[in-house]
mmCIF file of all heavy atoms in Angstrom:
data_model
loop_
_atom_site.group_PDB
_atom_site.id
_atom_site.type_symbol
_atom_site.label_atom_id
_atom_site.label_comp_id
_atom_site.label_asym_id
_atom_site.label_seq_id
_atom_site.Cartn_x
_atom_site.Cartn_y
_atom_site.Cartn_z
ATOM 1 N N VAL A 256 23.349 4.413 -10.555
ATOM 2 C CA VAL A 256 23.801 5.773 -10.256
ATOM 3 C C VAL A 256 24.001 6.515 -11.574
ATOM 4 O O VAL A 256 24.437 5.922 -12.557
ATOM 5 C CB VAL A 256 25.153 5.713 -9.491
ATOM 6 C CG1 VAL A 256 25.845 7.072 -9.487
ATOM 7 C CG2 VAL A 256 24.945 5.204 -8.078
ATOM 8 N N THR A 257 23.675 7.782 -11.621
ATOM 9 C CA THR A 257 24.086 8.631 -12.732
ATOM 10 C C THR A 257 25.335 9.379 -12.274
ATOM 11 O O THR A 257 25.292 10.115 -11.280
ATOM 12 C CB THR A 257 22.964 9.602 -13.124
ATOM 13 O OG1 THR A 257 21.848 8.824 -13.582
ATOM 14 C CG2 THR A 257 23.414 10.528 -14.245
ATOM 15 N N GLY A 258 26.432 9.119 -12.952
ATOM 16 C CA GLY A 258 27.708 9.683 -12.514
ATOM 17 C C GLY A 258 28.831 9.034 -13.286
ATOM 18 O O GLY A 258 28.691 8.770 -14.491
ATOM 19 N N SER A 259 29.938 8.735 -12.616
ATOM 20 C CA SER A 259 31.108 8.172 -13.291
ATOM 21 C C SER A 259 31.675 7.030 -12.479
ATOM 22 O O SER A 259 31.703 7.097 -11.244
ATOM 23 C CB SER A 259 32.203 9.238 -13.423
ATOM 24 O OG SER A 259 31.707 10.375 -14.071
ATOM 25 N N ILE A 260 32.136 6.002 -13.194
ATOM 26 C CA ILE A 260 32.902 4.954 -12.521
ATOM 27 C C ILE A 260 34.351 5.420 -12.469
ATOM 28 O O ILE A 260 34.955 5.721 -13.502
ATOM 29 C CB ILE A 260 32.808 3.619 -13.278
ATOM 30 C CG1 ILE A 260 31.359 3.133 -13.298
ATOM 31 C CG2 ILE A 260 33.715 2.577 -12.633
ATOM 32 C CD1 ILE A 260 31.167 1.869 -14.126
ATOM 33 N N VAL A 261 34.898 5.488 -11.270
ATOM 34 C CA VAL A 261 36.289 5.927 -11.144
ATOM 35 C C VAL A 261 37.225 4.758 -10.806
ATOM 36 O O VAL A 261 38.439 4.885 -10.927
ATOM 37 C CB VAL A 261 36.429 7.057 -10.102
ATOM 38 C CG1 VAL A 261 35.677 8.296 -10.591
ATOM 39 C CG2 VAL A 261 35.935 6.634 -8.739
ATOM 40 N N ALA A 262 36.665 3.619 -10.391
ATOM 41 C CA ALA A 262 37.476 2.431 -10.123
ATOM 42 C C ALA A 262 36.553 1.224 -10.099
ATOM 43 O O ALA A 262 35.352 1.355 -9.811
ATOM 44 C CB ALA A 262 38.218 2.544 -8.791
ATOM 45 N N MET A 263 37.126 0.062 -10.437
ATOM 46 C CA MET A 263 36.309 -1.155 -10.443
ATOM 47 C C MET A 263 37.242 -2.360 -10.326
ATOM 48 O O MET A 263 38.345 -2.349 -10.878
ATOM 49 C CB MET A 263 35.506 -1.224 -11.740
ATOM 50 C CG MET A 263 34.523 -2.381 -11.819
ATOM 51 S SD MET A 263 33.291 -2.058 -13.130
ATOM 52 C CE MET A 263 32.378 -3.605 -13.068
ATOM 53 N N ASP A 264 36.790 -3.365 -9.612
ATOM 54 C CA ASP A 264 37.528 -4.626 -9.608
ATOM 55 C C ASP A 264 36.529 -5.759 -9.460
ATOM 56 O O ASP A 264 35.334 -5.513 -9.235
ATOM 57 C CB ASP A 264 38.591 -4.681 -8.496
ATOM 58 C CG ASP A 264 37.993 -4.661 -7.104
ATOM 59 O OD1 ASP A 264 37.192 -5.553 -6.782
ATOM 60 O OD2 ASP A 264 38.319 -3.741 -6.324
ATOM 61 N N ALA A 265 36.995 -6.982 -9.602
ATOM 62 C CA ALA A 265 36.100 -8.131 -9.473
ATOM 63 C C ALA A 265 36.913 -9.358 -9.114
ATOM 64 O O ALA A 265 38.106 -9.448 -9.441
ATOM 65 C CB ALA A 265 35.344 -8.372 -10.783
ATOM 66 N N ASN A 266 36.273 -10.262 -8.408
ATOM 67 C CA ASN A 266 36.881 -11.576 -8.168
ATOM 68 C C ASN A 266 35.793 -12.585 -7.828
ATOM 69 O O ASN A 266 34.610 -12.250 -7.827
ATOM 70 C CB ASN A 266 37.975 -11.519 -7.097
ATOM 71 C CG ASN A 266 37.518 -10.760 -5.868
ATOM 72 O OD1 ASN A 266 36.340 -10.802 -5.511
ATOM 73 N ND2 ASN A 266 38.428 -10.048 -5.237
ATOM 74 N N LEU A 267 36.236 -13.820 -7.574
ATOM 75 C CA LEU A 267 35.296 -14.876 -7.200
ATOM 76 C C LEU A 267 35.275 -14.986 -5.692
ATOM 77 O O LEU A 267 36.329 -14.973 -5.047
ATOM 78 C CB LEU A 267 35.725 -16.225 -7.794
ATOM 79 C CG LEU A 267 35.650 -16.395 -9.303
ATOM 80 C CD1 LEU A 267 36.055 -17.827 -9.677
ATOM 81 C CD2 LEU A 267 34.244 -16.093 -9.833
#
Side-chain angles (χ1 to χ4, degrees):
V256 165
T257 297
S259 305
I260 297 175
V261 295
M263 185 162 176
D264 65 58
N266 48 33
L267 292 183

